[in-house]
């Protein structure tokens, strides 16, 4: 019997993702992609005995319905989409042993915005440019799932059942205000000192017009420094314009008066300033934030960002697993 998964209902842009993503192709216009919430993604893989970076499914806002065509282990982590197996509720952040013919159904995201489904052996789609990660908008590595699609699954001998203790799980609450760790730079000197301070002390609302390419924010108006107001013509007309340069992942890209956080499927270069950069360890919060929720930015430095990343790394290791 083939190890595969049948897509009964695709959900909303359910995609195969893999870490570290599609490395080495930024200069050709291909983003890294990969899972938006790497913390939940890695924990799902650990629960089913995979390498923590193996290919798995990312589900956003509305999850899929999947039928398993062989016995395997599965796990659902991340945002709460009320998973059910053959119509019965099942726990999240816990290994589930499924039999051939059983069906997993995920619903609307009750808490958070994105869930992750891992299966023992990993999703075994064909790599494209070295990765199985899907860049849906361009169809690189495939596209979002469609009804009737079959997903191949790799071989696995995993059989043990585990759970992730509450203290090691991402804290995803209902209608929360998210505190997002961010660093000043690289272009914070193009803003007035007052505006830099205001960025870290204001409420920012996540717009519905957001995606894995960028998260648009609504908040206070930006004021610019003399450097932006009295620049050479080659930098462009608007104060937020600058000679084309590289964009770091997580950059808060300022297009006029609209800040856009550049995330997994974002462009890597352009002609707008990036006054702030979200720490990579805070990406999981961006992934789980819903439109109209509030973001508040907490200023940290590089050492603080490294410490946050190390803390999450300790919670995505096999040592954190408890037997179910």
């Amino acid at each position: 019997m083939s190890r595969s998964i049948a897509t009964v209902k695709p959900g909303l842009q359910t995609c195969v993702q893999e870490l570290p993503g599609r490395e080495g192709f930024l200069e050709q216009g291909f983003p890294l992609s990969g899972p938006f919430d790497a913390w939940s993604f890695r924990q799902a893989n650990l629960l089913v005995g995979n390498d923590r970076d193996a290919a798995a499914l990312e589900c956003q806002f509305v999850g899929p319905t999947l039928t398993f065509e062989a016995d395997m282990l599965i796990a659902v982590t991340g945002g709460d989409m009320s998973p059910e197996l053959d119509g019965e509720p099942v726990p999240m952040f816990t290994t589930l042993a499924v039999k051939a013919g059983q069906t997993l159904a995920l619903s609307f995201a009750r808490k958070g915005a994105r869930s992750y489904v891992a299966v023992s052996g990993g999703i075994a789609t064909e790599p494209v440019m070295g990765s199985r990660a899907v860049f849906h908008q361009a169809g690189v590595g495939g596209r979002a799932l469609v009804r009737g699609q079959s997903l191949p699954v790799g071989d696995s001998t995993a059989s043990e059942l585990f759970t992730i203790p509450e203290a090691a799980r991402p804290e995803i609450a209902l209608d929360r205000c998210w505190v997002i760790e961010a660093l000043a730079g690289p272009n914070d000197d193009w803003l007035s000192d007052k505006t830099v301070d205001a960025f870290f002390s204001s409420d920012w609302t996540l717009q519905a017009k957001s995606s894995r390419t960028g998260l648009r924010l609504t908040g206070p108006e930006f004021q610019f420094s003399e450097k932006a107001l009295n620049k050479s013509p080659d930098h462009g007309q608007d104060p937020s314009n600058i000679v084309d340069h590289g964009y770091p992942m997580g950059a808060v890209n300022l297009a006029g008066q609209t800040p856009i956080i550049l995330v997994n499927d974002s462009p890597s270069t352009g002609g707008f300033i990036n006054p702030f950069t979200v720490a990579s360890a805070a990406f999981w919060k961006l992934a789980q934030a819903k439109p109209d929720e509030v973001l508040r930015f907490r200023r940290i430095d590089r050492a603080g960002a490294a410490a946050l990343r190390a803390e999450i790394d300790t919670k995505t290791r096999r040592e954190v697993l408890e037997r179910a």
Side-chain angles (χ1 to χ4, degrees):
M1 183 179 296
S2 66
R3 286 177 60 82
S4 59
I5 303 169
T7 306
V8 180
K9 294 180 181 179
L12 181 61
Q13 290 189 7
T14 304
C15 286
V16 176
Q17 295 298 340
E18 183 182 54
L19 280 170
R22 188 163 287 103
E23 293 185 312
F25 296 94
L26 288 176
E27 76 282 1
Q28 298 177 36
F30 298 103
L32 281 172
S33 298
F36 201 168
D37 176 358
W39 184 351
S40 298
F41 176 90
R42 283 176 156 168
Q43 288 190 335
N45 270 315
L46 293 178
L47 285 166
V48 297
N50 293 343
D51 178 273
R52 67 180 187 174
D53 295 345
L57 294 176
E58 177 176 275
C59 320
Q60 66 170 12
F61 300 113
V62 182
T65 298
L66 308 167
T67 295
F68 304 97
E69 299 180 333
D71 297 356
M72 61 186 77
L73 302 181
I74 68 169
V76 183
T77 62
D80 185 358
M81 293 185 177
S82 304
E84 294 184 350
L85 190 62
D86 289 344
E88 294 296 324
V90 290
M92 297 184 58
F93 291 94
T94 299
T95 314
L96 305 170
V98 300
K99 298 293 184 182
Q102 288 195 285
T103 297
L104 175 74
L106 274 63
S107 185
F108 293 91
R110 189 175 68 86
K111 291 193 297 185
R114 289 172 174 84
S115 295
Y116 294 85
V117 180
V119 296
S120 53
I123 305 296
T125 50
E126 193 69 27
V128 175
M129 290 184 285
S131 178
R132 295 183 173 90
V134 168
F135 176 29
H136 168 71
Q137 288 181 309
V140 179
R143 290 193 181 273
L145 296 191
V146 296
R147 187 185 300 271
Q149 182 176 351
S150 179
L151 290 171
V153 176
D155 293 330
S156 174
T157 58
S159 60
E160 294 183 275
L161 308 183
F162 296 100
T163 189
I164 303 287
E166 290 282 349
R169 301 178 187 181
E171 184 183 346
I172 303 172
L174 287 170
D175 301 319
R176 67 177 294 174
C177 173
W178 298 89
V179 177
I180 309 295
E181 291 80 10
L183 297 79
N187 306 126
D188 53 305
D189 56 347
W190 285 59
L191 300 179
S192 69
D193 291 342
K194 183 177 180 180
T195 293
V196 171
D197 291 339
F199 177 81
F200 289 104
S201 60
S202 301
D203 288 354
W204 299 88
T205 303
L206 181 61
Q207 295 184 17
K209 193 177 180 181
S210 297
S211 67
R212 281 174 47 94
T213 298
L215 305 182
R216 292 174 177 264
L217 307 178
T218 300
E221 186 169 315
F222 288 83
Q223 302 295 325
F224 295 88
S225 68
E226 281 298 311
K227 183 174 185 176
L229 297 173
N230 296 305
K231 59 188 177 181
S232 59
D234 56 325
H235 281 295
Q237 183 176 7
D238 193 277
S240 67
N241 288 143
I242 193 171
V243 171
D244 280 14
H245 64 147
Y247 291 163
M249 180 80 84
V252 181
N253 187 248
L254 188 57
Q257 287 290 339
T258 303
I260 304 171
I261 307 175
L262 302 180
V263 288
N264 296 59
D265 291 344
S266 67
S268 59
T269 186
F272 292 102
I273 62 171
N274 303 298
F276 313 101
T277 304
V278 173
S280 61
F283 264 46
W284 72 270
K285 301 177 189 179
L286 299 179
Q288 298 299 347
K290 290 180 177 178
D292 294 326
E293 290 187 337
V294 172
L295 309 185
R296 290 178 183 161
F297 293 92
R298 180 171 73 87
R299 186 169 183 167
I300 60 172
D301 57 16
R302 290 189 179 185
L308 280 175
R309 189 165 184 168
E311 180 184 353
I312 289 179
D313 192 56
T314 63
K315 296 175 180 178
T316 52
R317 296 183 183 277
R318 295 193 185 281
E319 290 76 11
V320 79
L321 298 177
E322 294 180 351
R323 293 191 181 277

